[in-house]
Amino acid sequence: MSLSKLEYFVSVAELSSFTQAAKRHYISQTAISQQIASLEKELSIKLFDRTVNPIKLTEAGAVFYKDVQAMLSQYQNAIKKAQHIYKNQNRILTIGYSSLYEIQLISDIAVKFQELHLDVEITFIKKNIDDLVEALSNGACDVAFTMDCAFDENNKKIKQYPVFKGSMLLGVGKKHPKANQKTIESKELQHEKIIFLSEEPSSVALNGMIENCRADGYEPCVIEKVSTLETLILLVGLHRGVAFFPNVPQVTQDNRISYLSITNSPHQFQIVVGYPSKSLNTLTESFLSYVKETVV
């Protein structure tokens, strides 16, 4: 019996829905139904009454749910306590990020913080946005840098602080007809072939950029999605298409392409640092204080 099966079971029990539980865990409804059926087979117990809508726990399922819920809570607490002891004994700070944009933006902060705290070991982990939220919640990550849309403002367990904010630029190849211009009207982009940086299939940042295009009055002609910033720059330089880049020096220093300001457009970006409201790592507060002092 796997831990994930028990987590799926608890979600279905709490939400009274296979569909909603599947969304919570970012898997298909079929997959979660199969996992619950497998669990019932292992236990030789019918956990849910599927003849009613919404589904509900059987009497045996309700007893099982109560004990499993307590067990999973104890398991998470055990992880947090062990990580707390390990990190404070070894002075380790784990920084998460979701894309190459963030790691380039925060590199200076991490280096300067390290210089002030030579006894601290800084580790980095790269995860998609959803996994970063989970990592902050379970203590696997102390702080995480990502797009501001990643964190639910109603989630009291995770707080956020703005680090960078600015406009998006349009990157074009050196031989593009608009390459020598400093600006481009947003309405001029409706006929451009656009390449997006999308490291995850359901990228929040990607969806945000598409919505910005629609707000400008056009449906973006997306010809390709690439997983790395370097590939994005190469393809733009080869005139395969144009692309959006955040207006920060760390990203827009490449001389293989030209960067144009987009006028009359809502294309904006904001990077935030997310952190647990109750962190077990004493270094988290020190790092956040440094970030708030450094970022203007």
PDB file of all heavy atoms in Angstrom, residues 130-149:
ATOM      1  N   ASP A 130       3.255  24.160  -8.928  1.00  0.00           N
ATOM      2  CA  ASP A 130       2.423  23.411  -7.983  1.00  0.00           C
ATOM      3  C   ASP A 130       3.264  22.662  -6.966  1.00  0.00           C
ATOM      4  O   ASP A 130       2.942  22.614  -5.773  1.00  0.00           O
ATOM      5  CB  ASP A 130       1.522  22.432  -8.737  1.00  0.00           C
ATOM      6  CG  ASP A 130       0.561  23.155  -9.668  1.00  0.00           C
ATOM      7  OD1 ASP A 130       0.034  24.196  -9.256  1.00  0.00           O
ATOM      8  OD2 ASP A 130       0.357  22.687 -10.798  1.00  0.00           O
ATOM      9  N   ASP A 131       4.374  22.070  -7.430  1.00  0.00           N
ATOM     10  CA  ASP A 131       5.247  21.327  -6.519  1.00  0.00           C
ATOM     11  C   ASP A 131       5.988  22.253  -5.567  1.00  0.00           C
ATOM     12  O   ASP A 131       6.330  21.856  -4.454  1.00  0.00           O
ATOM     13  CB  ASP A 131       6.238  20.474  -7.314  1.00  0.00           C
ATOM     14  CG  ASP A 131       5.575  19.286  -8.002  1.00  0.00           C
ATOM     15  OD1 ASP A 131       4.454  18.939  -7.591  1.00  0.00           O
ATOM     16  OD2 ASP A 131       6.163  18.728  -8.947  1.00  0.00           O
ATOM     17  N   LEU A 132       6.256  23.491  -6.000  1.00  0.00           N
ATOM     18  CA  LEU A 132       6.899  24.454  -5.108  1.00  0.00           C
ATOM     19  C   LEU A 132       5.990  24.779  -3.924  1.00  0.00           C
ATOM     20  O   LEU A 132       6.448  24.888  -2.788  1.00  0.00           O
ATOM     21  CB  LEU A 132       7.230  25.742  -5.859  1.00  0.00           C
ATOM     22  CG  LEU A 132       8.562  25.817  -6.601  1.00  0.00           C
ATOM     23  CD1 LEU A 132       8.733  27.206  -7.205  1.00  0.00           C
ATOM     24  CD2 LEU A 132       9.744  25.481  -5.705  1.00  0.00           C
ATOM     25  N   VAL A 133       4.719  24.942  -4.205  1.00  0.00           N
ATOM     26  CA  VAL A 133       3.754  25.224  -3.130  1.00  0.00           C
ATOM     27  C   VAL A 133       3.743  24.077  -2.122  1.00  0.00           C
ATOM     28  O   VAL A 133       3.745  24.291  -0.909  1.00  0.00           O
ATOM     29  CB  VAL A 133       2.339  25.439  -3.717  1.00  0.00           C
ATOM     30  CG1 VAL A 133       1.314  25.582  -2.589  1.00  0.00           C
ATOM     31  CG2 VAL A 133       2.314  26.673  -4.602  1.00  0.00           C
ATOM     32  N   GLU A 134       3.750  22.852  -2.637  1.00  0.00           N
ATOM     33  CA  GLU A 134       3.769  21.681  -1.765  1.00  0.00           C
ATOM     34  C   GLU A 134       5.073  21.609  -0.972  1.00  0.00           C
ATOM     35  O   GLU A 134       5.076  21.283   0.220  1.00  0.00           O
ATOM     36  CB  GLU A 134       3.599  20.412  -2.608  1.00  0.00           C
ATOM     37  CG  GLU A 134       3.657  19.104  -1.826  1.00  0.00           C
ATOM     38  CD  GLU A 134       2.534  18.964  -0.808  1.00  0.00           C
ATOM     39  OE1 GLU A 134       1.480  19.616  -0.994  1.00  0.00           O
ATOM     40  OE2 GLU A 134       2.715  18.222   0.167  1.00  0.00           O
ATOM     41  N   ALA A 135       6.202  21.937  -1.634  1.00  0.00           N
ATOM     42  CA  ALA A 135       7.505  21.894  -0.966  1.00  0.00           C
ATOM     43  C   ALA A 135       7.584  22.903   0.172  1.00  0.00           C
ATOM     44  O   ALA A 135       8.173  22.632   1.226  1.00  0.00           O
ATOM     45  CB  ALA A 135       8.618  22.149  -1.983  1.00  0.00           C
ATOM     46  N   LEU A 136       7.001  24.074  -0.016  1.00  0.00           N
ATOM     47  CA  LEU A 136       6.965  25.074   1.056  1.00  0.00           C
ATOM     48  C   LEU A 136       6.091  24.595   2.211  1.00  0.00           C
ATOM     49  O   LEU A 136       6.399  24.826   3.383  1.00  0.00           O
ATOM     50  CB  LEU A 136       6.427  26.401   0.524  1.00  0.00           C
ATOM     51  CG  LEU A 136       7.349  27.215  -0.383  1.00  0.00           C
ATOM     52  CD1 LEU A 136       6.596  28.411  -0.963  1.00  0.00           C
ATOM     53  CD2 LEU A 136       8.586  27.690   0.363  1.00  0.00           C
ATOM     54  N   SER A 137       5.009  23.928   1.870  1.00  0.00           N
ATOM     55  CA  SER A 137       4.062  23.468   2.888  1.00  0.00           C
ATOM     56  C   SER A 137       4.631  22.357   3.753  1.00  0.00           C
ATOM     57  O   SER A 137       4.383  22.307   4.966  1.00  0.00           O
ATOM     58  CB  SER A 137       2.765  22.992   2.222  1.00  0.00           C
ATOM     59  OG  SER A 137       2.149  24.035   1.501  1.00  0.00           O
ATOM     60  N   ASN A 138       5.408  21.442   3.136  1.00  0.00           N
ATOM     61  CA  ASN A 138       5.905  20.306   3.908  1.00  0.00           C
ATOM     62  C   ASN A 138       7.330  20.484   4.427  1.00  0.00           C
ATOM     63  O   ASN A 138       7.891  19.572   5.031  1.00  0.00           O
ATOM     64  CB  ASN A 138       5.798  19.011   3.093  1.00  0.00           C
ATOM     65  CG  ASN A 138       6.669  19.024   1.843  1.00  0.00           C
ATOM     66  OD1 ASN A 138       7.705  19.667   1.774  1.00  0.00           O
ATOM     67  ND2 ASN A 138       6.240  18.282   0.829  1.00  0.00           N
ATOM     68  N   GLY A 139       7.923  21.658   4.208  1.00  0.00           N
ATOM     69  CA  GLY A 139       9.244  21.937   4.754  1.00  0.00           C
ATOM     70  C   GLY A 139      10.396  21.507   3.892  1.00  0.00           C
ATOM     71  O   GLY A 139      11.562  21.684   4.268  1.00  0.00           O
ATOM     72  N   ALA A 140      10.127  20.971   2.707  1.00  0.00           N
ATOM     73  CA  ALA A 140      11.217  20.544   1.813  1.00  0.00           C
ATOM     74  C   ALA A 140      11.936  21.745   1.212  1.00  0.00           C
ATOM     75  O   ALA A 140      13.058  21.636   0.731  1.00  0.00           O
ATOM     76  CB  ALA A 140      10.668  19.657   0.701  1.00  0.00           C
ATOM     77  N   CYS A 141      11.272  22.895   1.249  1.00  0.00           N
ATOM     78  CA  CYS A 141      11.827  24.127   0.685  1.00  0.00           C
ATOM     79  C   CYS A 141      11.579  25.253   1.683  1.00  0.00           C
ATOM     80  O   CYS A 141      10.492  25.351   2.253  1.00  0.00           O
ATOM     81  CB  CYS A 141      11.153  24.408  -0.659  1.00  0.00           C
ATOM     82  SG  CYS A 141      11.735  25.857  -1.515  1.00  0.00           S
ATOM     83  N   ASP A 142      12.582  26.100   1.919  1.00  0.00           N
ATOM     84  CA  ASP A 142      12.449  27.177   2.908  1.00  0.00           C
ATOM     85  C   ASP A 142      11.843  28.438   2.305  1.00  0.00           C
ATOM     86  O   ASP A 142      10.997  29.093   2.916  1.00  0.00           O
ATOM     87  CB  ASP A 142      13.810  27.493   3.517  1.00  0.00           C
ATOM     88  CG  ASP A 142      14.388  26.299   4.251  1.00  0.00           C
ATOM     89  OD1 ASP A 142      13.679  25.722   5.089  1.00  0.00           O
ATOM     90  OD2 ASP A 142      15.550  25.928   3.974  1.00  0.00           O
ATOM     91  N   VAL A 143      12.300  28.803   1.115  1.00  0.00           N
ATOM     92  CA  VAL A 143      11.750  29.944   0.384  1.00  0.00           C
ATOM     93  C   VAL A 143      11.693  29.551  -1.086  1.00  0.00           C
ATOM     94  O   VAL A 143      12.427  28.673  -1.538  1.00  0.00           O
ATOM     95  CB  VAL A 143      12.608  31.225   0.551  1.00  0.00           C
ATOM     96  CG1 VAL A 143      12.604  31.697   1.996  1.00  0.00           C
ATOM     97  CG2 VAL A 143      14.030  30.985   0.063  1.00  0.00           C
ATOM     98  N   ALA A 144      10.824  30.218  -1.850  1.00  0.00           N
ATOM     99  CA  ALA A 144      10.701  29.889  -3.269  1.00  0.00           C
ATOM    100  C   ALA A 144      10.419  31.149  -4.070  1.00  0.00           C
ATOM    101  O   ALA A 144       9.579  31.966  -3.673  1.00  0.00           O
ATOM    102  CB  ALA A 144       9.595  28.863  -3.498  1.00  0.00           C
ATOM    103  N   PHE A 145      11.141  31.310  -5.169  1.00  0.00           N
ATOM    104  CA  PHE A 145      10.947  32.449  -6.056  1.00  0.00           C
ATOM    105  C   PHE A 145      10.179  31.994  -7.286  1.00  0.00           C
ATOM    106  O   PHE A 145      10.565  31.026  -7.949  1.00  0.00           O
ATOM    107  CB  PHE A 145      12.298  33.025  -6.486  1.00  0.00           C
ATOM    108  CG  PHE A 145      13.044  33.721  -5.380  1.00  0.00           C
ATOM    109  CD1 PHE A 145      13.823  33.001  -4.494  1.00  0.00           C
ATOM    110  CD2 PHE A 145      12.962  35.099  -5.218  1.00  0.00           C
ATOM    111  CE1 PHE A 145      14.522  33.629  -3.463  1.00  0.00           C
ATOM    112  CE2 PHE A 145      13.649  35.740  -4.195  1.00  0.00           C
ATOM    113  CZ  PHE A 145      14.420  35.005  -3.319  1.00  0.00           C
ATOM    114  N   THR A 146       9.107  32.700  -7.595  1.00  0.00           N
ATOM    115  CA  THR A 146       8.304  32.336  -8.764  1.00  0.00           C
ATOM    116  C   THR A 146       7.385  33.496  -9.123  1.00  0.00           C
ATOM    117  O   THR A 146       7.434  34.567  -8.508  1.00  0.00           O
ATOM    118  CB  THR A 146       7.484  31.065  -8.498  1.00  0.00           C
ATOM    119  OG1 THR A 146       6.835  30.646  -9.693  1.00  0.00           O
ATOM    120  CG2 THR A 146       6.463  31.282  -7.403  1.00  0.00           C
ATOM    121  N   MET A 147       6.548  33.298 -10.156  1.00  0.00           N
ATOM    122  CA  MET A 147       5.590  34.321 -10.563  1.00  0.00           C
ATOM    123  C   MET A 147       4.563  34.543  -9.454  1.00  0.00           C
ATOM    124  O   MET A 147       4.201  33.612  -8.736  1.00  0.00           O
ATOM    125  CB  MET A 147       4.877  33.896 -11.846  1.00  0.00           C
ATOM    126  CG  MET A 147       5.787  33.803 -13.057  1.00  0.00           C
ATOM    127  SD  MET A 147       6.338  35.435 -13.590  1.00  0.00           S
ATOM    128  CE  MET A 147       7.311  34.983 -15.045  1.00  0.00           C
ATOM    129  N   ASP A 148       4.079  35.781  -9.332  1.00  0.00           N
ATOM    130  CA  ASP A 148       3.165  36.107  -8.243  1.00  0.00           C
ATOM    131  C   ASP A 148       1.845  35.352  -8.323  1.00  0.00           C
ATOM    132  O   ASP A 148       1.161  35.192  -7.323  1.00  0.00           O
ATOM    133  CB  ASP A 148       2.886  37.612  -8.201  1.00  0.00           C
ATOM    134  CG  ASP A 148       2.261  38.131  -9.486  1.00  0.00           C
ATOM    135  OD1 ASP A 148       2.406  37.467 -10.527  1.00  0.00           O
ATOM    136  OD2 ASP A 148       1.622  39.189  -9.455  1.00  0.00           O
ATOM    137  N   CYS A 149       1.499  34.865  -9.517  1.00  0.00           N
ATOM    138  CA  CYS A 149       0.234  34.147  -9.667  1.00  0.00           C
ATOM    139  C   CYS A 149       0.305  32.724  -9.118  1.00  0.00           C
ATOM    140  O   CYS A 149      -0.693  32.009  -9.104  1.00  0.00           O
ATOM    141  CB  CYS A 149      -0.188  34.106 -11.138  1.00  0.00           C
ATOM    142  SG  CYS A 149       1.127  33.595 -12.264  1.00  0.00           S
TER     143      CYS A 149
END
